Amino acid sequence: MPMRVRPDVSVVVIAYNDAARLPRAVASSLAQSLGGVETVIVDDASTDGTGEAADRLAAAHPGRVGAVHLPVNSGGCGRPRNVGVERSDGRYVMFLDSDDLLDRHACLNLLSAAQETGADLVSGLCDRVFLDVPKGSKDRVRPWYPWLYERSAVYGSLEENPDLLYDTLSTNKLYRRGFLEDGALRFVERLHYEDLLFSAEAYTAAARMALIPHRVYNWLVQDRRAKPSISNRRDELANFADRLEIHRRIDMLFELRGADGLKRAKDAKFVNHDLLLYLRELRDRDPVYRARFLDLAAGYLAGLDPVVFETANPLAAIAAFLIREGDRAGALAAAEYLPGRRSDLHAPLVERDGRVFWGGTPPRGDLGRRVLDVTDLGFHLYPLGELRPAAVVTRLETRGGRARLDGHVLNPLDRIPRGAALSASLEFRDRRDARGARVPAEIVHEGDRLAWRAEFDPAARIRPIGFVDPVWDVRLRVEVDGEEMVTRPGGSAGTSTAKAPVLRGVELPVRPRLTRLAGDVLRSFVTEDGHLAFRLETGRLEAGDPRTRRAAAAVARVVSSPPARRGRRRARRLERSMRRALASSRTKAAVFNRILTRLPVRRGLAVFESHLGLHYSDNPKYIYRELRRSGRPVEAVWSYARSAKGFPSDARLVRRDSWRYHLALARAEFWIDNQGYPDRLRKRPETTYIQTWHGSAYKLMGLDQPRMKSGPASGRARLARSVDRFDCFLVRSRHDVDTLVKGLGVRAEPLPAGYPRNDPLVNGLDGDAELAAEVAALRRSLDLDDGRRAVLYAPTFRPGPTGKPVGPMEPPVDPVRFARELGDEIVLLVRPHYLCRANLPPSASSAMRDVGGVADATLLLLLADALVTDHSSIMFDYALLDRPIVLHLPEDGEHAAGYFDLEEHAPGPVTRTEDELIAALADLDAAGSAHAAARRAFAERFGEHDRGTAARTVVDRYFGERSAHGSHRNR
């Protein structure tokens, strides 16, 4: 009889009442690319035929699959896995749940790493696959802590990478059998979340651990299952109690080892991950569950080292700290808020001593002040539209066919002043295609919140189509001094429901456009994220005539049949595809190039754009002002990217990338911008493109940049396609010709006129009443009339690895120190690059001003008494004013390669440290006098063509001289 060869790997598959999916899991083990894989199925006393399925698989694959049956259900995963280890023979062991899948090369990749490194434990990437999410969606597959698996790694102990405690799955790992036997490592039984303790024990016992960047395990998640898996049964209080008990045992493990650092790392992981899993679902639990859960959590959190609240992620730490302190509403609001993910802000904020704190009352104690300080999260800096204060529904009812909705919106930090102009409306929006119906709402200011109310006839206001639009969301639109804020009304994040309104099951009578058989009421429900929504249902019909009920039921059966559902899905996919195609920039460009440019050019039509439509500013603004001043009959169109606020009222405004935008560009006689119109658009010969650009260059530009030279040819082709459209390119000096013109590959003959935006810097404000009024208004709005000097800090854009800003821009000097040492003499105007945001705490308000919202930098230059910058091109403009300039080039900063030696030609002192910058600002007059000659030479070299006539030169050259009859002469 031949001797049985010992398998390299044993895959232990545990199953309970999972006969349908067990064969699929076992198939993923049998399909391993590594030969010599044994599969051992452990049936935990199933009652649905799982045991029989296991026996059939073992009979079909003798020698490769074995089946073990437990006589009594263990109630968890620990016992079946332990039995599987004991009944298997492989030199290495893996674990697989019957509802999951192994990657085809899992065993091969893990075993290869184990043999190469000698590791006791090898871990690979796990992907969570959400089966309820459509295939192809980016949210269907979500890697589990992928940052741990970015590259291969080997560790000699857990202390070398405590973050491994975030991946406590047992199933994405390969274990050496001798390691398990020598350490008597087994799963705890009769407790859920046995993985957490087992992994902690394995991590601490292993002499060597290896990580590989390959996917080895597919964790299949199906949220809509009638009975979720054990790990997803977070609605069972015993589930959370088990998790806490597991954590207590891990605490004991680390305490016995004297591993205080590991315990603190594990506690931070508990706050960041384990606790948040439950808190973010707590809204939908009943009051008794919530109260008991929070009592359990508070009891465990009370025993943690307080340092964990300062090492965990800020909002997770706030949630945990407030649970311990008894502020449960504030805790849930922190748990539900996800920065950057369009979350609602349910908690009030309070400002004390120039810092912003979470919650409606000042924090108690030093620890509370440190934990609850959210100044650095920038809530005080967000535009209202991004802040998203929560809209809470306090009444939802119908009487006599009319609906009534009342509620309030938070007003954190009094961001909305009492005198603000307010208007509001409720929008009911079809989730399928975003069709909406708006209902006027009353709104009044009540201090720390805005109260709103809407009363309307839903049957007259909301007209569903029927069948194809079953779900309707609700939005509250609030306009504050012309700025719109959109929120999703819903319930409160608090824990008490004694006074909470009924938000589920309220019926609004409606009349679908197709037929009443499609439904006659919108019935309210609350979404998973706590927002109010409605479903179209046949509510009143079911209580009416029996024949009508039968007809409605028959229609419902047809509409809900599988063929009808498939047909609707196909129709929706086709409709969405067509909409995306029609709305895409590629489609618009194709129509522009092939059709719109065949339309006749409209004489005198000029399209203006500044910084891709972000502002009414820069050179295009000053050309537009000169055209308007000269009285030339030009039809002006300005493009805007986000909001039309601040753009001229006497011009036609079009949203960038809209169809109206493309039509205007196609028919324009002039394009005037400072950056670039969409590169796919081919300029017709009849159109004159005046490219003003937006600054002289210190940093390498265009083809001179290493990344452009070594990058794909498509990038260079795109640049050439865009630049070749220019008919005019403004330059300020020979330097611009040698740098910008050459680097960008401009073929058009440069126009040595200077920059229109710099005309006021040369001419001053005398004779320009409009601009003088703008500067005066800006000075008043910034409260600069107290005799202190205004110093403008305007650094260049510093991108991160992805090319986007790495975060909010910090001031060059600590605000507290600046206020203490220079605040009596100087106000620092902090202007980030237009792609960034400044991070100024409220404590800086006495001596610093955030001027990032000022669209036109020329206004700031005119009122600033001095400039602090780095490599920004703003220094070339400011030098024309012959006022002090300080170049602040921090020692720890990244300094880009430039076209010349900046320090050799510096128009002012160069500072490296905060101390040096403060010293230079403390004696601006001396710094200005010492560098006067260098500053004037700098201005002459880089602004030789700036003579105060740039706007007039451009207008006269391209728009002709103004005639006595108000028309322009032929060119």
Short mmCIF file of all heavy atoms in Angstrom, two decimals, residues 744-770:
data_model
loop_
_atom_site.label_atom_id
_atom_site.label_comp_id
_atom_site.label_asym_id
_atom_site.label_seq_id
_atom_site.Cartn_x
_atom_site.Cartn_y
_atom_site.Cartn_z
N LEU A 744 6.55 76.73 -22.79
CA LEU A 744 5.20 76.32 -23.20
C LEU A 744 5.14 75.97 -24.69
O LEU A 744 4.15 75.38 -25.14
CB LEU A 744 4.19 77.43 -22.90
CG LEU A 744 3.99 77.78 -21.42
CD1 LEU A 744 3.07 78.99 -21.28
CD2 LEU A 744 3.42 76.60 -20.65
N GLY A 745 6.15 76.34 -25.43
CA GLY A 745 6.15 76.07 -26.87
C GLY A 745 5.23 76.99 -27.63
O GLY A 745 4.61 76.58 -28.63
N VAL A 746 5.12 78.27 -27.21
CA VAL A 746 4.23 79.22 -27.85
C VAL A 746 4.78 79.59 -29.23
O VAL A 746 5.94 79.99 -29.36
CB VAL A 746 4.07 80.49 -26.99
CG1 VAL A 746 3.21 81.53 -27.71
CG2 VAL A 746 3.45 80.13 -25.64
N ARG A 747 3.94 79.47 -30.25
CA ARG A 747 4.33 79.83 -31.60
C ARG A 747 3.88 81.23 -31.99
O ARG A 747 4.46 81.86 -32.87
CB ARG A 747 3.77 78.83 -32.61
CG ARG A 747 4.30 77.41 -32.41
CD ARG A 747 3.78 76.50 -33.51
NE ARG A 747 4.19 75.12 -33.29
CZ ARG A 747 3.94 74.13 -34.15
NH1 ARG A 747 3.26 74.38 -35.26
NH2 ARG A 747 4.33 72.91 -33.88
N ALA A 748 2.83 81.70 -31.33
CA ALA A 748 2.34 83.04 -31.62
C ALA A 748 3.39 84.07 -31.24
O ALA A 748 4.16 83.88 -30.29
CB ALA A 748 1.04 83.30 -30.85
N GLU A 749 3.42 85.18 -31.98
CA GLU A 749 4.40 86.22 -31.66
C GLU A 749 4.03 86.88 -30.34
O GLU A 749 2.90 87.33 -30.14
CB GLU A 749 4.42 87.27 -32.77
CG GLU A 749 5.45 88.37 -32.53
CD GLU A 749 5.49 89.38 -33.65
OE1 GLU A 749 4.78 89.17 -34.66
OE2 GLU A 749 6.21 90.38 -33.51
N PRO A 750 4.98 86.93 -29.38
CA PRO A 750 4.68 87.54 -28.09
C PRO A 750 4.36 89.03 -28.25
O PRO A 750 4.95 89.72 -29.08
CB PRO A 750 5.97 87.34 -27.29
CG PRO A 750 6.71 86.25 -28.00
CD PRO A 750 6.34 86.37 -29.45
N LEU A 751 3.40 89.49 -27.43
CA LEU A 751 3.04 90.90 -27.43
C LEU A 751 3.67 91.56 -26.20
O LEU A 751 3.24 91.32 -25.06
CB LEU A 751 1.52 91.07 -27.40
CG LEU A 751 1.01 92.52 -27.35
CD1 LEU A 751 1.45 93.28 -28.61
CD2 LEU A 751 -0.51 92.53 -27.22
N PRO A 752 4.69 92.39 -26.36
CA PRO A 752 5.40 92.98 -25.21
C PRO A 752 4.65 94.17 -24.64
O PRO A 752 5.13 95.31 -24.69
CB PRO A 752 6.74 93.38 -25.83
CG PRO A 752 6.42 93.71 -27.25
CD PRO A 752 5.32 92.76 -27.65
N ALA A 753 3.49 93.92 -24.09
CA ALA A 753 2.63 94.99 -23.59
C ALA A 753 2.63 95.07 -22.07
O ALA A 753 2.15 96.05 -21.51
CB ALA A 753 1.19 94.77 -24.07
N GLY A 754 3.19 94.06 -21.38
CA GLY A 754 3.02 93.98 -19.94
C GLY A 754 1.70 93.31 -19.60
O GLY A 754 0.97 92.83 -20.47
N TYR A 755 1.38 93.30 -18.30
CA TYR A 755 0.16 92.64 -17.84
C TYR A 755 -0.90 93.69 -17.51
O TYR A 755 -0.63 94.63 -16.73
CB TYR A 755 0.42 91.80 -16.60
CG TYR A 755 0.99 90.43 -16.88
CD1 TYR A 755 1.41 89.61 -15.84
CD2 TYR A 755 1.10 89.94 -18.19
CE1 TYR A 755 1.91 88.35 -16.08
CE2 TYR A 755 1.61 88.68 -18.44
CZ TYR A 755 2.02 87.89 -17.39
OH TYR A 755 2.52 86.63 -17.63
N PRO A 756 -2.11 93.55 -18.04
CA PRO A 756 -3.19 94.49 -17.70
C PRO A 756 -3.46 94.57 -16.21
O PRO A 756 -3.80 95.65 -15.69
CB PRO A 756 -4.39 93.93 -18.47
CG PRO A 756 -3.77 93.24 -19.66
CD PRO A 756 -2.50 92.64 -19.13
N ARG A 757 -3.31 93.47 -15.49
CA ARG A 757 -3.59 93.49 -14.05
C ARG A 757 -2.59 94.37 -13.30
O ARG A 757 -2.84 94.78 -12.16
CB ARG A 757 -3.54 92.07 -13.48
CG ARG A 757 -2.14 91.49 -13.38
CD ARG A 757 -2.15 90.06 -12.91
NE ARG A 757 -0.79 89.56 -12.68
CZ ARG A 757 -0.48 88.28 -12.56
NH1 ARG A 757 -1.43 87.36 -12.68
NH2 ARG A 757 0.76 87.91 -12.33
N ASN A 758 -1.43 94.62 -13.93
CA ASN A 758 -0.40 95.43 -13.27
C ASN A 758 -0.51 96.91 -13.58
O ASN A 758 0.23 97.71 -13.01
CB ASN A 758 0.99 94.93 -13.67
CG ASN A 758 1.31 93.59 -13.03
OD1 ASN A 758 0.65 93.18 -12.08
ND2 ASN A 758 2.30 92.90 -13.57
N ASP A 759 -1.41 97.29 -14.48
CA ASP A 759 -1.58 98.72 -14.78
C ASP A 759 -1.85 99.54 -13.51
O ASP A 759 -1.24 100.60 -13.32
CB ASP A 759 -2.72 98.92 -15.78
CG ASP A 759 -2.34 98.45 -17.19
OD1 ASP A 759 -1.15 98.16 -17.42
OD2 ASP A 759 -3.25 98.36 -18.05
N PRO A 760 -2.74 99.08 -12.60
CA PRO A 760 -2.96 99.87 -11.38
C PRO A 760 -1.74 99.94 -10.48
O PRO A 760 -1.59 100.90 -9.71
CB PRO A 760 -4.12 99.14 -10.69
CG PRO A 760 -4.78 98.34 -11.76
CD PRO A 760 -3.68 97.96 -12.69
N LEU A 761 -0.88 98.91 -10.54
CA LEU A 761 0.32 98.93 -9.70
C LEU A 761 1.28 100.02 -10.18
O LEU A 761 2.04 100.59 -9.38
CB LEU A 761 1.02 97.57 -9.73
CG LEU A 761 0.18 96.35 -9.35
CD1 LEU A 761 1.04 95.10 -9.34
CD2 LEU A 761 -0.48 96.55 -7.99
N VAL A 762 1.26 100.28 -11.49
CA VAL A 762 2.12 101.32 -12.06
C VAL A 762 1.46 102.69 -11.95
O VAL A 762 2.10 103.69 -11.57
CB VAL A 762 2.45 100.99 -13.52
CG1 VAL A 762 3.28 102.10 -14.15
CG2 VAL A 762 3.18 99.65 -13.62
N ASN A 763 0.18 102.76 -12.24
CA ASN A 763 -0.52 104.05 -12.32
C ASN A 763 -1.07 104.53 -10.98
O ASN A 763 -1.36 105.72 -10.82
CB ASN A 763 -1.68 103.96 -13.31
CG ASN A 763 -1.22 103.60 -14.70
OD1 ASN A 763 -0.12 103.95 -15.11
ND2 ASN A 763 -2.07 102.88 -15.45
N GLY A 764 -1.26 103.63 -10.05
CA GLY A 764 -1.95 103.99 -8.81
C GLY A 764 -3.45 104.05 -9.02
O GLY A 764 -3.96 103.70 -10.10
N LEU A 765 -4.17 104.50 -8.02
CA LEU A 765 -5.64 104.51 -8.06
C LEU A 765 -6.22 105.86 -8.49
O LEU A 765 -7.44 105.98 -8.64
CB LEU A 765 -6.20 104.12 -6.69
CG LEU A 765 -5.87 102.69 -6.24
CD1 LEU A 765 -6.38 102.46 -4.82
CD2 LEU A 765 -6.50 101.68 -7.19
N ASP A 766 -5.37 106.88 -8.68
CA ASP A 766 -5.88 108.18 -9.10
C ASP A 766 -6.55 108.06 -10.47
O ASP A 766 -5.98 107.50 -11.41
CB ASP A 766 -4.74 109.20 -9.18
CG ASP A 766 -4.20 109.54 -7.79
OD1 ASP A 766 -4.91 109.26 -6.82
OD2 ASP A 766 -3.07 110.05 -7.71
N GLY A 767 -7.74 108.55 -10.57
CA GLY A 767 -8.46 108.50 -11.83
C GLY A 767 -9.23 107.23 -12.05
O GLY A 767 -9.92 107.09 -13.07
N ASP A 768 -9.14 106.27 -11.15
CA ASP A 768 -9.88 105.00 -11.28
C ASP A 768 -10.77 104.85 -10.05
O ASP A 768 -10.44 104.15 -9.10
CB ASP A 768 -8.92 103.82 -11.41
CG ASP A 768 -9.62 102.55 -11.89
OD1 ASP A 768 -10.83 102.41 -11.63
OD2 ASP A 768 -8.96 101.69 -12.51
N ALA A 769 -11.88 105.55 -10.05
CA ALA A 769 -12.77 105.58 -8.89
C ALA A 769 -13.32 104.20 -8.56
O ALA A 769 -13.49 103.84 -7.38
CB ALA A 769 -13.91 106.56 -9.14
N GLU A 770 -13.61 103.42 -9.61
CA GLU A 770 -14.20 102.09 -9.38
C GLU A 770 -13.22 101.19 -8.63
O GLU A 770 -13.58 100.54 -7.64
CB GLU A 770 -14.58 101.45 -10.71
CG GLU A 770 -15.19 100.06 -10.56
CD GLU A 770 -15.49 99.40 -11.90
OE1 GLU A 770 -15.45 100.10 -12.93
OE2 GLU A 770 -15.76 98.19 -11.90
#
